[in-house]
Amino acid sequence: MADVTEKIAEATGNIETELGQYHLLNLIETKTKIPKTAIVISTGLFMFTLVYVLFGPGLLCNMVGFIYPAYASFQAVESEQKDDDTQWLTYWVVYGTFTVFEAFVDLILFWVPMYYSFKFGFLIWLFLPNTQGAKFLYENVLAPLFKANESTFDSIMGKAAISSDKKED
C-alpha cells in the first residue's frame, strides 16, 4: 500500500511541477489556497459534466473519439517517424468504419442501456497506444474483410467516380 501511495505522490508532484508553468493557475492557487492539481481536476470534471448534461453523451463520445486522436494524428504527421503515422491512419480507418456502422444501427443502439458508456470506453481502447485496439480490430476484422471484398469496393468506387464526373459536366 505504501508503494502505491508513493507512486501517487510522485505523479501528483510531477503534475504540480508541470502546472506550475501556468501563471493563471499559480494566481488562482495563491488566492484560493487550493492546489493546482485539484483546480485542474475539478475544472475537467465540471466541463465533462457540463457537456454531458447540456449536449448528451453522444457528443461527449464523439469529442473523445475525435479531439485527442486528431491532435495525435497532427503530431504524427509532423514527426519524422512513420510508425505513429500508421497507428493513427489505422485508428481513423477503424473509427470511420465504426461510425458508418453505428449510423445504420443507431436506432437500436440508442435503447441499449449504458451504450454510450461502452462506446466511450471502446473509443479510448481504440486509440490508447498501450492497448492498440484499432490495430487489433484492423488486423483481425477489417483488413481480412476489405481484402476479401476489394474488387467489389473498387467497382463501387469506380462507379461513384464516373457518376460524379458526369454530374460535373
Side-chain angles (χ1 to χ4, degrees):
M1 183 69 177
D3 188 41
V4 172
T5 307
E6 290 173 11
K7 287 183 179 183
I8 291 172
E10 180 183 336
T12 304
N14 292 341
I15 292 170
E16 281 287 328
T17 303
E18 287 294 319
L19 295 176
Q21 300 174 25
Y22 301 99
H23 176 69
L24 181 61
L25 281 175
N26 290 327
L27 184 65
I28 294 170
E29 181 182 43
T30 303
K31 298 243 184 219
T32 63
K33 306 290 188 246
I34 299 172
K36 292 181 282 290
T37 306
I39 294 168
V40 169
I41 290 172
S42 300
T43 303
L45 286 174
F46 175 75
M47 295 303 292
F48 178 87
T49 304
L50 187 67
V51 169
Y52 185 86
V53 169
L54 292 179
F55 302 106
L59 177 64
L60 191 62
C61 284
N62 289 335
M63 288 173 60
V64 165
F66 185 78
I67 292 175
Y68 172 74
Y71 179 69
S73 297
F74 163 75
Q75 288 183 316
V77 168
E78 295 298 316
S79 76
E80 296 295 322
Q81 299 171 333
K82 293 298 172 204
D83 294 347
D84 52 1
D85 294 2
T86 303
Q87 175 190 350
W88 290 109
L89 186 56
T90 303
Y91 171 80
W92 289 113
V93 169
V94 173
Y95 180 78
T97 305
F98 172 73
T99 302
V100 170
F101 172 77
E102 183 185 37
F104 287 106
V105 294
D106 190 43
L107 292 174
I108 298 167
L109 294 175
F110 177 77
W111 294 102
V112 174
M114 302 209 22
Y115 166 69
Y116 286 108
S117 298
F118 289 119
K119 180 180 176 182
F120 189 86
F122 173 72
L123 291 173
I124 291 173
W125 175 75
L126 281 180
F127 69 68
L128 281 180
N130 57 342
T131 60
Q132 295 196 354
K135 180 181 178 184
F136 175 81
L137 283 179
Y138 179 80
E139 290 175 351
N140 294 297
V141 178
L142 294 180
L145 178 70
F146 288 161
K147 287 176 184 174
N149 296 293
E150 190 171 6
S151 61
T152 305
F153 290 136
D154 288 343
S155 173
I156 292 170
M157 292 300 156
K159 289 177 185 176
I162 291 169
S163 175
S164 69
D165 287 344
K166 288 180 181 177
K167 287 182 182 178
E168 288 180 4
D169 293 337

